[in-house]
Amino acid sequence: MKRLHVHVSVDDLAKSIQFYSTLFAAEPTVTKDDYAKWMLDDPRVNFAISKRGRASGIRHLGIQVEDRAELADVYSRLQRADAPVLEEGATTCCYAKSEKSWVEDPQGIQWETFLTTGESTTYGTAPVRLNQGRPCCEPTRAA
């Protein structure tokens, strides 16, 4: 079963964790110094926040799948969309190992489609660049 993914950049991680934990009535399933994630079943969503040197707001949206058959189905839909698809393949991003592809909607909002294959101790450093959007897993900018 597919799960909606929402990733939001925040200014104050601790305050945001407190807010979203209260809103979702659940603690994060992953917490790092610069990142937190809730894997919720009601509503069924992978909701992530991070503080990584970006303006606050929606970072990207996505569809997380549970197996390779669902991944193939969603990839085929991406291919039929009227936008270039970046097939990233196997990668490390957001403290997870995944296989993923990216597309931007007509407004420039990045959408990822991915199958998580494991955990990672690093956030990930390979930048993803699409038409207008900025990378997801770039290193934190120095202040």
Side-chain angles (χ1 to χ4, degrees), residues 17-18 23-24 26 28 30 39 53 56 61 77 87 92 100 113:
I17 289 173
Q18 179 183 5
L23 179 66
F24 300 142
V30 176
M39 293 292 285
S56 59
L61 303 171
R77 287 189 244 153
E87 295 184 25
T92 298
K100 63 176 68 182
T113 299

Side-chain angles (χ1 to χ4, degrees), residues 35-101:
Y35 177 86
K37 175 173 73 175
W38 290 258
M39 293 292 285
L40 303 169
D41 288 322
D42 184 18
R44 189 162 170 77
V45 65
N46 168 342
F47 185 86
I49 60 175
S50 63
K51 182 173 174 51
R52 300 197 50 86
R54 294 248 178 101
S56 59
I58 297 291
R59 187 155 184 184
H60 64 268
L61 303 171
I63 299 172
Q64 181 178 12
V65 300
E66 292 184 359
D67 58 43
R68 296 212 176 271
E70 286 183 344
L71 188 63
D73 175 53
V74 178
Y75 274 7
S76 107
R77 287 189 244 153
L78 288 180
Q79 296 297 332
R80 293 189 308 269
D82 190 20
V85 176
L86 174 67
E87 295 184 25
E88 189 173 13
T91 188
T92 298
C93 184
C94 302
Y95 298 102
K97 295 177 183 179
S98 302
E99 182 175 329
K100 63 176 68 182
S101 287

Side-chain angles (χ1 to χ4, degrees), residues 12-33:
D12 185 327
L13 190 69
K15 188 173 182 177
S16 296
I17 289 173
Q18 179 183 5
F19 173 84
Y20 288 114
S21 293
T22 301
L23 179 66
F24 300 142
E27 294 299 313
T29 54
V30 176
T31 305
K32 304 288 183 180
D33 291 340

